[in-house]
Amino acid sequence: MKGLGRRAKKRLLFLGLAWLTVVGVIASPVALGHVSTLPQLPQPDIIQQESHLAQSLDPVSRLSQGKIDYDRGRFADAVRVWQEAEQVYQQAGDRINQAISLNYLSLAYQHLGQWEQAKESIEESLTILPTPTDPALLAQVLNTKGSLQLATGQSEVALHTWKAAETAYSQADDAIGVLGCQINQAQALQSLGMFRRSQQVLERVQQALTRQPDSLIKATGLRSLGMVWQAIGELDDAQNVLNQSLAIAQTLNSPTDISAAFLNLGNAARSLGDRDAAINYYHNAAKTATAPLNQLEAQLNQFKILIHQQQFNQAQDLFPTIKRNLSQLSPSRYAIYAQVNWAESLIELLDNPERYSPELITSQDIAQLLAKTIAQAKALNDIRAESLALGTLGKLYQTNQQGLDAQRLLQQALFFSQTINARDISYQWQWQLTQIYQQTGDLNAAITANQDAFDLLQSIRGDLVAMNPDVRFSFQEQIEPIYRNLVRLLLQSSSPDNLKQARNVIESLQLAELENYFRTSCLNAKAEQIDTVIEDSDTQTAVIYPIILPDRIAVILSLPGQPLETYSTELPQAEIEEAVNQLRQSMNIAYSNRKRLAISQTIYDWLIRPVETQFAQQDIKTLVFVLDGVLRNVPMAALHDGQQYLIEKYSIALTPGLQLLEPRSLTQLQLRSLTGGLSEPRLGFSALPAVEDEIEQVSTNIPSNVLFNQAFTSTALENKINTLPVSVVHLATHGQFSSNPEDTFILTWDKRFNANTLSQLLKGRNQDNFPPIELLVLSACQTANGDQRAALGLAGLAVRSGTRSTIGTLWSVKDQSTAQAMIQLYNNLTQPDTNRAEALRQAQLFLLRQNQYQHPYYWAPFILVGNWL
């Protein structure tokens, strides 16, 4: 036999595709408390490996046996068998089957994290392929090479490799292979920040799959597509195609595919925050599963959510079936991941003894379980799985106040994860070690470990959500503390190097939050240091970095030509956040002026008072804030020194940090606007009668292309953004920014236009060689009241869209005062030597000086995000 049959080749496509799209169960750190002392690490008997490498096996059987091992998660065994097959084919001079064996080897090496071996295998496979060769075989090898390139950070090279694979599949008349390569290309485009192109590719794949006759291959393809939609944050599209996959599987009565569709629908619902729906999907996935491992994966996901929902009785009902399914698993990576996942959830339960029945599980039981998984991983020679099991056991020991044992286990886990460059788990062990060092008072070791955890997070930030879907909805519990703790440690010494690094961490946290919000990378363009902007273009600007820590609000200050400095106010985090939330509430007209001014002055004292003398000495005109947490939801303009509002003394801008793109003054540009808006009531939203005058006045000040009322449709807006070389986009319509991207939108005549889609459209202009938008104005939108992360939607739109500046509002105000502010804004923008921040300031002061608009409710919500020049 000199080659694989057509059916086997198609199976290989999905073998490679699954590596990219199927996310395994990865343990992640959780905050744990104290439980009873554990015994020393037990040493159970090493498992007996199956003996299937008998010399009597011919090379074809070895290929098949390796595939069985691979599917079972026994990757080291698969490597051994495929190595033997490759050697036999090499000796026989069978170059085609030797190339197939090497292709398989590369896939297994990738799972083991042995990247050099994976690269050598796939390059040798390509080298020995005869010329000309079967295009289907070439396509398979190129597909594997693309997966390796993407995994090792070569996104652009992977994109070209998958295009070549697509061409080969097309020559082989393999439509499913073509679609698989296109899905992979979409992921590479996402990694490169080409969101619009990625979305277009996936939409074409979806249309092509929909036209295919119903089959299990179609169901699998739709399921893979749904998983990619989910990974890039397009959850509505994910649910749509996953439901299509489910319907086909149900029509064809395929329990395996039905269960898989339910499982992925559960993952999508979990990402949307609909945990009740996720629990129901996981229940159905477990009920329809035909294999213990598939049933177990659904049950473990269900169990984890039930704990988070504090539905402990229902969670405990799953104990017997989960334990039974665990006991039935053959040793494999998947079995180890399942046991580690189970142990993580049990540790979380043990941290709250009132939540569970002690007779069900004890800390000693968990230690024995993890010791068994460590032994299994050793026997399988699976370093990644061994690292996960060791690190999780280390966390259990740490929970029991056995610090030295925990440290030993975590260091061992870290060593293993570093040997295979598994950064997505190495950062977790560094974070756990940080906490141990802090408990023992070793500050230097704590800073080093915390810095290493931070550096690892930075290196995988764009891929973190895809690596571990749990991060998507637990970012504030699992990832954010790593950043904040490092800032706290660094600020214990105000050395220049520590302050610079602390500022870098603050800005990195800002971007990480935005990427978590959008579930994908926000910004891949070249950014410019704020310090450079201040020194080269604007020597009258100060940058203020407040960050809320558990025991204080700390501020880092950057002044032109001066070293960084820091100051802080020691208060519990809860008190700080309560005061900030009260300031937001005090912006209501019905709130007492006396109380509002008192709260405003308190926060002024924290952020501004300690350095106002320096501002005066350096003739500072503009304050740029890099705001943290709940501070994003309140207007800095309304802070009060006892005599004046902050806006009366300074222009104000906000930025996530280093996200300025080639900053330049508007006076260098010829302004031209795309202006759209609604004045009539639409889709349950009230009329905005003053919008008509606002749009007319904007058009009077700068040349404008106008979409108004019936003409302001989503399609028209897309077409104009795609075709008009404008520098300003002004949208006067209802809109909302929420902590959920799916609830972040602007209102057009025909529908709610998702802000995520809008940002991709604006970003796409850069890819189409249009000049970027200099100013995006959203004059009637608001951040969701009471939503602490809502302002991320506005900041995220500003950053991700690539617009140099965005003006929005923190709350919805009267459309008459908004219209007046916008008219003044554009009057100011056309004046010589006026920058964006000063133009907005003067518009706000125009309202403040009118009796009917003196209250901050009318003028304070307007904020400028991005370039202030």
Side-chain angles (χ1 to χ4, degrees), residues 6 9-10 13 136 168-179:
R6 185 61 164 267
K9 292 174 182 175
K10 287 186 176 179
L13 160 70
Y169 275 123
S170 181
Q171 293 171 352
D173 195 26
D174 188 339
I176 296 298
V178 168
L179 294 176

Side-chain angles (χ1 to χ4, degrees), residues 2 36 43 60 82 99 145 182 289 350 376 546 576 627 715 756 808 824 851:
K2 293 188 177 181
S36 58
Q43 299 291 333
V60 174
W82 284 336
K145 184 176 182 180
Q182 289 174 351
L350 289 175
Q376 290 178 344
I576 296 168
L627 294 177
T715 301
N756 199 356
Q824 291 300 315
N851 288 335

Side-chain angles (χ1 to χ4, degrees), residues 293-523:
L293 182 61
N294 297 336
Q295 184 182 61
L296 184 60
E297 184 178 0
Q299 289 170 334
L300 288 171
N301 288 350
Q302 184 181 358
F303 185 81
K304 188 179 292 290
I305 293 183
L306 287 170
I307 292 175
H308 291 160
Q309 295 281 75
Q310 298 188 3
Q311 299 178 29
F312 303 115
N313 290 334
Q314 296 93 316
Q316 289 186 40
D317 289 342
L318 290 173
F319 262 72
T321 53
I322 289 177
K323 292 181 70 174
R324 182 178 66 250
N325 281 332
L326 280 171
S327 67
Q328 294 175 2
L329 295 180
S330 299
S332 70
R333 171 180 288 186
Y334 306 129
I336 293 169
Y337 279 15
Q339 292 172 94
V340 168
N341 187 329
W342 175 235
E344 284 275 10
S345 295
L346 294 178
I347 292 171
E348 187 173 347
L349 273 180
L350 289 175
D351 189 39
N352 297 274
E354 72 278 3
R355 297 179 176 180
Y356 81 108
S357 301
E359 65 272 11
L360 289 175
I361 198 77
T362 67
S363 53
Q364 287 81 4
D365 294 331
I366 302 173
Q368 290 283 352
L369 171 67
L370 289 169
K372 177 183 176 182
T373 64
I374 293 168
Q376 290 178 344
K378 284 182 181 294
L380 292 170
N381 195 26
D382 193 327
I383 296 174
R384 181 184 177 91
E386 186 175 358
S387 176
L388 281 168
L390 279 165
T392 305
L393 184 58
K395 288 189 289 184
L396 181 61
Y397 276 91
Q398 181 184 357
T399 300
N400 285 269
Q401 308 300 319
Q402 294 174 250
L404 290 177
D405 289 330
Q407 182 177 332
R408 174 176 58 85
L409 287 164
L410 287 163
Q411 287 172 335
Q412 191 176 0
L414 179 62
F415 171 79
F416 284 130
S417 63
Q418 288 174 332
T419 61
I420 59 171
N421 196 29
R423 294 169 293 173
D424 59 310
I425 54 177
S426 290
Y427 85 85
Q428 300 178 50
W429 310 149
Q430 293 283 22
W431 172 233
Q432 293 297 128
L433 286 167
T434 299
Q435 297 170 74
I436 291 174
Y437 295 140
Q438 285 181 230
Q439 290 169 1
T440 60
D442 192 342
L443 179 61
N444 290 333
I447 291 177
T448 300
N450 206 156
Q451 181 70 53
D452 288 342
F454 165 78
D455 291 340
L456 287 163
L457 279 174
Q458 289 298 96
S459 69
I460 63 173
R461 190 179 61 212
D463 299 321
L464 187 59
V465 168
M467 289 176 172
N468 186 356
D470 285 348
V471 171
R472 183 170 298 152
F473 60 86
S474 60
F475 179 88
Q476 291 173 289
E477 294 78 27
Q478 293 187 10
I479 304 301
E480 197 173 311
I482 299 175
Y483 290 81
R484 294 188 183 281
N485 193 71
L486 181 55
V487 171
R488 187 175 70 83
L489 291 174
L490 290 168
L491 291 182
Q492 291 187 30
S493 167
S494 57
S495 70
D497 288 342
N498 276 9
L499 288 182
K500 285 183 179 180
Q501 179 58 10
R503 182 182 64 172
N504 178 45
V505 175
I506 292 170
E507 293 177 339
S508 299
L509 173 59
Q510 296 272 330
L511 188 54
E513 287 181 295
L514 292 174
E515 289 179 338
N516 175 255
Y517 175 86
F518 279 111
R519 307 182 182 96
T520 188
S521 178
C522 285
L523 185 70

Side-chain angles (χ1 to χ4, degrees), residues 12 56 203 295 376 404 580 623 642 784:
L12 180 55
S56 59
E203 286 170 350
Q295 184 182 61
Q376 290 178 344
L404 290 177
V580 174
L623 302 182

